[in-house]
Amino acid sequence: DVTGPAVTLPGVTGEIEAWCGPCKLVAPELEKLAVRAQRDGEALARLSAERPALTATAAQTTKDERRAQAALATRRRRLDARVTTGKTQGTTFARSAVEHQAALVRAEQATASATGARDALAHRQDRTTTLEQQLAALTARQRHLEAQRTIRQLDEVKALYTSGAGF
């Protein structure tokens, strides 16, 4: 079964696509393109819907990373000051070392989280760009094939008029 618009011209009865050989060749390709365009359009819509949440997550994790790095820098300065002054004995030094280690762990975790969120956002953006390009190519191909089908239909009609079979 061939789908698509039928050409209706005065003096020609019936749908041209039903008997137009070249039209029958173009129709399956147009159907495949329509299915791919539908699938890619749905994927693009999903990616677009996910983007605000991913952007917010990336922004928050980057903010958390900066905060953790600042806390680590503060703990490192305190620990370095104790080492520089030679105050490496006692509970104050031990507390500074433990705080520094905890800040280091938090900073590493925050960096990993922020990197993951930024990578996910970049991956989604790359996928979105790829889908947009594919949709543009599919649309261009559909337009090209539709024009070919219309030209072929008109050629068939012209042949009918010329031969007198269409009357």
Side-chain angles (χ1 to χ4, degrees), residues 4-5 8 16 24 37 41 47 62 118 123 158:
T8 306
I16 291 175
K24 288 181 180 179
L47 290 174
T62 299
R118 286 189 296 264
H123 175 72
K158 179 181 176 187

Side-chain angles (χ1 to χ4, degrees), residues 26-89:
V26 172
E29 178 70 17
L30 284 169
E31 290 173 7
K32 288 177 189 175
L33 290 173
V35 168
R36 285 178 52 199
Q38 174 76 22
R39 184 192 65 223
D40 288 353
E42 290 170 357
L44 187 59
R46 279 192 308 276
L47 290 174
S48 295
E50 293 171 356
R51 184 170 175 77
L54 286 173
T55 301
T57 299
Q60 183 61 46
T61 56
T62 299
K63 184 177 177 181
D64 293 345
E65 178 187 25
R66 278 190 237 120
R67 195 175 300 132
Q69 291 295 335
L72 175 61
T74 300
R75 300 307 184 276
R76 183 172 291 140
R77 280 192 305 274
R78 287 182 189 163
L79 187 60
D80 288 346
R82 296 215 180 275
V83 169
T84 302
T85 60
K87 298 179 182 177
T88 58
Q89 300 296 320

